[in-house]
Amino acid sequence: MASLQFLIILISTFFFSPATKGQTQGCYKFDIREASVETVHNALQSGLTSCRDITEAFIARIEAYNPNINAVITLNPSALSIANGFDDALAAGNATGALFCIPILLKDNYDTMEMNTTAGCSDLAGSQPTVDAPVVVALKRAGAIILGKTNLHELALEGLSVSSLGGQTLNPYDLSRTPGGSSGGTGAAIAASFAVFGTGTDTVNSLRSPASANSLFSVRPTRGLISRSGIIPISYTQDAVGPIARNVEDLAIALTVMASVGYDANDNTTAMVPSSSIGVDYSTALHGRGIKGVRLGLIETFFNHTISEETTPVTAAVNATVSALTAAGATVIPISSSIYNSSAILEAYDTQRFEYRQQMNEYLARPSLRGKHPASLNDLYRSGKYLVIPAQYSYVNTALVSSTDNTTYATRKLGIQNLTLAVQTMFKQYSLDALIYPEQANLVVKIGAASQSGRNGILAAVTGHPVVTVPAGFSPATEQAPVGVPIGLEILGLPWSEAKLLNLAKKISEIRRVRKMPVLTKAAISASAIDKVPVIVPNTRDIPSSYPLGTIEGSI
């Protein structure tokens, strides 16, 4: 068998040589729209294109379409030279790594040596890490090209994806709507095929909301599976990092690489990972087992059954998914317990305001952080160089005087333990494989909205349970939304059940193929050779007037 594989490689090498540096996408006709890890690797190995061509093609799409959606905040000036190095490796037969020559985008709260890490905040515009976050090291080690960084809701504090440094990101499916958030820049960029996949963070909803709003897949892993060190923090209890992709296969590959960091002394939650979840190749989980016999709990209280143009399409899309699952042999059990109330869970158990100041102060004091940046969170909010939406004035002012020493914090942590036990008891009681529910009970909100209302991510955020988000459908098409507004479904499992959830996501995506490209960015872009990576200038002129800059209303 080994000799046969060698013969195939030898024949492939003889007949197909890698494309020469500088040859363009138009010459080789490799279409990067909706490109996956597999299709990029096939194109490279067959000689259809080069790594340089692929990188230039993605940059061309960003140059063409980013002015419309304002998703990318900066590009990596080293991207082309890195691509050249991969072409040399390919020519020498040394193409290794699960992500060899895969252009990806990072949310701009991941520390990177090549680019400043700003979290979209003007007061952090000059903040320059001197070391990569461990998860960035893992991505690079696997061969990924860090193409650039994406806009986000400033400091990842909400879901509208507007920031003082990056401006307002727009949803490519409907320019009158937000892209979800806080990882909305990544969501919009990946939906528009600006890269193969991207990364995000999630403190309450922030990986799942953009996936839902952009017809994408995401995974919020079990707390501790992926190190959060080197990523601008909010909450020790609730922060998580993960990938956002256009298909489950890429999601599984990305999760495998990101989780390969393993134990990290700078994030002690990574010590909780059981041996059974160390070194897992999540791609293998996508095969085998069908939907037949799967038991799913449908959280009825996470819907908004009000009849309206904003809520009815969500209910219809999720119900259609449930019907397809039932037809495929799954058992769906309605869950109507009063404990599953997202607003009540957020109010009672959210820990952000108690942990935010301490977490940020520790991050800002890191010796590896150079450049110009504030010394503390209080200094940042004294600078006047930031954006906080009015709905969060109270939260930020409270966070600046709160800490984990507050007696309320201990009460919340105990409440989280009780809620986690209740969820796990329900899994046992009904012999469930997973819980399912809409990520957002209404369509993603319009530009200028007070907040990103109706989201259901808080349950996983406080309990630390893993969630995979899958596309569930679209609202009816309109003039503003030519294919409709995307709607997503969350699949929540027990801790360390990422493999099972990815398998379910794969099967759901097979029985309901709902993803569509956004019309706005659907057209192919002809790429040509470039000498250097262009500079991106985000549009900050169109920040809604309802979000005034440099104020949190109260004094510090």
Side-chain angles (χ1 to χ4, degrees), residues 47-48 54 128 143 208 270 299 309 315 335 458 496 549 556:
L48 181 66
I54 289 169
Q128 177 60 68
R208 295 160 286 160
T270 57
I299 303 185
E309 292 181 350
T315 302
I335 305 292
I458 188 64
W496 320 113
L549 298 176
I556 305 176

Side-chain angles (χ1 to χ4, degrees), residues 100 181 241 275 331 510:
F100 180 84
V241 303
S275 58
T331 299
E510 289 173 343

Side-chain angles (χ1 to χ4, degrees), residues 3 50 66 96 132 172 197-198 291 345 359 467 499 510 537 553 556:
S3 61
S50 70
N66 196 60
T96 59
D132 290 326
F197 69 84
I291 291 294
I345 294 170
Q359 290 281 292
V467 172
E510 289 173 343
V537 180
E553 197 172 49
I556 305 176

Side-chain angles (χ1 to χ4, degrees), residues 246-291:
R246 289 183 293 268
N247 59 73
V248 183
E249 290 82 1
D250 287 354
L251 194 71
I253 295 169
L255 179 62
T256 299
V257 171
M258 295 176 77
S260 70
V261 172
Y263 172 69
D264 179 2
N266 291 315
D267 182 358
N268 62 11
T269 64
T270 57
M272 300 189 299
V273 182
S275 58
S276 59
S277 293
I278 296 174
V280 173
D281 179 357
Y282 290 101
S283 296
T284 63
L286 305 184
H287 311 294
R289 190 179 185 184
I291 291 294

Side-chain angles (χ1 to χ4, degrees), residues 465-545:
H465 286 204
V467 172
V468 172
T469 306
V470 301
F474 287 81
S475 67
T478 64
E479 184 177 349
Q480 288 182 315
V483 297
V485 178
I487 295 160
L489 178 81
E490 288 198 22
I491 313 168
L492 181 149
L494 291 171
W496 320 113
S497 65
E498 282 82 358
K500 177 186 283 189
L501 299 182
L502 286 166
N503 179 273
L504 284 170
K506 173 66 174 173
K507 304 311 175 189
I508 291 172
S509 71
E510 289 173 343
I511 63 174
R512 293 204 78 227
R513 299 181 183 275
V514 301
R515 172 163 169 76
K516 303 172 188 175
M517 294 173 63
V519 171
L520 176 71
T521 59
K522 190 172 184 178
I525 298 298
S526 180
S528 56
I530 54 176
D531 294 327
K532 63 180 182 179
V533 176
V535 174
I536 297 295
V537 180
N539 175 12
T540 58
R541 300 182 304 277
D542 294 335
I543 293 173
S545 59

Side-chain angles (χ1 to χ4, degrees), residues 327-343:
T331 299
V332 179
I333 301 162
I335 305 292
S336 300
S337 172
S338 60
I339 67 170
Y340 299 114
N341 180 311
S342 290
S343 296

Side-chain angles (χ1 to χ4, degrees), residues 18-29:
T20 306
K21 293 178 202 174
Q23 291 174 324
T24 66
Q25 179 191 355
C27 180
Y28 284 91
K29 301 188 185 304

